[in-house]
Amino acid sequence: PQSEKSSKIARKRFVHDTIKYAHDTVMPRIEEIHKLGVFSLRGIARELNARHVPTYQAHLMDMEVSTRDPAKARPLWSAETVKRAIANAQKPIPKINIKAK
């Protein structure tokens, strides 16, 4: 069905965008933090929060395209989200082939 195809395209776009955000936005900030001698995931999370670097979900909220309930607290960096961002930054940015009909 068409809805299945749409959800696959949306998933590919989401994966592409999260990896690209990690490459372009998060890793340059983490490299700056490493220069300060901070290497622990918790320490990096504290620095990212102090520098007001948005998580990917907060970034989506800023762009007003998030499906997250706006009444919930704004997501902050944690050791786990830093770990995921670093893992995403180590992946190549996938190409997206979306054929228009």
Side-chain angles (χ1 to χ4, degrees), residues 3 10 15-16 20 25 29 40-41 53 60 70 74 78 84:
S3 63
V15 169
H16 171 272
K20 186 161 176 36
T25 303
R29 303 294 181 16
S40 73
L41 296 175
V53 177
L60 292 178
R74 185 173 174 82
S78 66
R84 287 185 199 149

Side-chain angles (χ1 to χ4, degrees), residues 1-8:
Q2 194 66 17
S3 63
E4 185 176 317
K5 183 178 178 182
S6 295
S7 65
K8 284 182 182 180

Side-chain angles (χ1 to χ4, degrees), residues 28-41:
R29 303 294 181 16
I30 290 177
E31 289 167 4
E32 292 170 5
I33 293 167
H34 282 169
K35 289 177 185 174
L36 299 174
V38 179
F39 295 96
S40 73
L41 296 175

